[in-house]
Amino acid sequence: YWGHYLGHYLSASAQMFASTGNTSVLLKSAEIVKILADAQDAWTRSGQPGYLFPYSIVAFVNLENPPGNCKPVCVPWYVYHKMMAGLLDQYLLAGNALGLDMVIQMATWAKSNVESVLR
């Protein structure tokens, strides 16, 4: 799943920077975080504030509504979590404050989504 791999990459590149000080890794990962921030902004403009996911919101809708299915991805919350973890590592290990802001927005979307399912 695309977001799963991307989350691992963001974590790994943050760890690499933290352990080696390699600024080319830092700059490349910061570029990716900025691109993701632009995507998150686009989702916000489309009515899903804070949402950031490489697949349509349909992945969550399909999971949360009977009978549930695996289209386009079977484990959207796992993928979402991996992306959040990677962005948090970018903040904690590589000092990218944008990563933290994005995680907070993603958490806000997740909270809203879960609350709507529980109603």
Side-chain angles (χ1 to χ4, degrees):
Y1 301 113
W2 296 110
H4 169 245
Y5 303 132
L6 183 58
H8 278 298
Y9 174 83
L10 291 172
S11 290
S13 60
Q15 291 171 8
M16 180 180 278
F17 170 72
S19 64
T20 68
N22 183 324
T23 56
S24 65
V25 170
L26 177 71
L27 294 173
K28 185 50 129 180
S29 61
E31 210 176 299
I32 293 168
V33 170
K34 175 62 175 110
I35 290 167
L36 291 172
D38 291 344
Q40 189 177 49
D41 289 344
W43 278 110
T44 295
R45 287 190 305 276
S46 74
Q48 292 295 330
Y51 185 75
L52 178 62
F53 199 63
Y55 301 96
S56 165
I57 192 119
V58 169
F60 292 93
V61 172
N62 287 345
L63 176 71
E64 295 158 357
N65 292 288
N69 69 51
C70 287
K71 306 270 191 244
V73 60
C74 289
V75 288
W77 286 113
Y78 174 72
V79 174
Y80 202 78
H81 142 265
K82 292 312 298 179
M83 293 178 65
M84 290 178 81
L87 289 167
L88 188 58
D89 284 342
Q90 284 293 313
Y91 169 69
L92 294 172
L93 302 173
N96 190 332
L98 183 56
L100 178 62
D101 181 56
M102 293 168 67
V103 167
I104 291 168
Q105 290 181 58
M106 290 175 77
T108 301
W109 180 88
K111 178 181 182 284
S112 175
N113 177 273
V114 170
E115 286 174 341
S116 72
V117 171
L118 295 176
R119 286 186 204 132

